[in-house]
Amino acid sequence: MISGKTIPFLLFVVTAGMFALAFSQPSNQKDIYADCMEQIDNGFIYNSQPMKALLTGTEVAEFRATLFEGNIYRIATCSPTNKKIWFSIYDTNNNLLFSTTQYDYSSCWDFKMEGNMECKIEAGLMPGSGSSGMAVLLIGFKNLRPSAF
């Protein structure tokens, strides 16, 4: 005989299982960070703050980052479906500092900071890359200052 507590428990287990399946990430979604991390490796330290946006058509994602003097930075882009992503970096006065459109749409860029700066990073899907997709940007850094330890 089934007790009155068994049916609600079974319903809970089945419902929890369905939610777990519905909201789990597909394997290619998990691998996206691994693909980007390959570009960040090589002595750079990942800042642990992924910037990602689901874009459609000509939408542009906007991200903010504070960059500090004495570091070399690397910005890397990737997409779960291997879509090409462009990005541009602006200072707080909206002056263009760098754009991949001027450098054959490179998927990463290394640069040295001469002062502390808050930046705006815009990113979008390359024209002809399809109607929608995920754009992911990761930032890594190397400290150029000698360690006190």
Side-chain angles (χ1 to χ4, degrees):
M1 177 179 256
I2 298 176
S3 73
K5 294 180 181 179
T6 305
I7 292 175
F9 176 74
L10 288 174
L11 285 173
F12 170 78
V13 170
V14 170
T15 304
M18 290 172 51
F19 272 105
L21 287 173
F23 292 106
S24 66
Q25 294 180 333
S27 62
N28 67 342
Q29 196 73 348
K30 292 176 185 176
D31 294 340
I32 183 60
Y33 294 112
D35 293 342
C36 260
M37 287 304 295
E38 286 180 18
Q39 296 180 65
I40 293 292
D41 285 341
N42 237 357
F44 286 87
I45 300 167
Y46 170 53
N47 77 348
S48 302
Q49 297 179 5
M51 298 178 225
K52 61 183 179 176
L54 180 59
L55 302 171
T56 57
T58 59
E59 282 183 317
V60 175
E62 185 176 301
F63 307 104
R64 300 282 175 170
T66 302
L67 308 174
F68 298 99
E69 180 177 8
N71 290 326
I72 294 178
Y73 287 92
R74 175 174 287 169
I75 296 179
T77 62
C78 47
S79 171
T81 54
N82 295 324
K83 295 188 182 286
K84 286 218 166 228
I85 301 164
W86 63 265
F87 69 95
S88 298
I89 303 173
Y90 299 88
D91 65 13
T92 54
N93 295 321
N94 218 30
N95 295 312
L96 179 65
L97 303 175
F98 175 81
S99 179
T100 58
T101 60
Q102 300 167 342
Y103 294 93
D104 199 28
Y105 300 101
S106 173
S107 63
C108 68
W109 180 54
D110 295 356
F111 57 99
K112 180 181 174 184
M113 289 304 297
E114 298 295 335
N116 298 336
M117 181 183 304
E118 184 172 330
C119 297
K120 175 177 72 170
I121 304 170
E122 293 182 346
L125 300 175
M126 292 287 297
S129 290
S131 60
S132 67
M134 177 74 68
V136 177
L137 280 79
L138 300 183
I139 298 178
F141 67 94
K142 287 183 189 180
N143 191 316
L144 295 177
R145 295 181 184 181
S147 176
F149 301 105

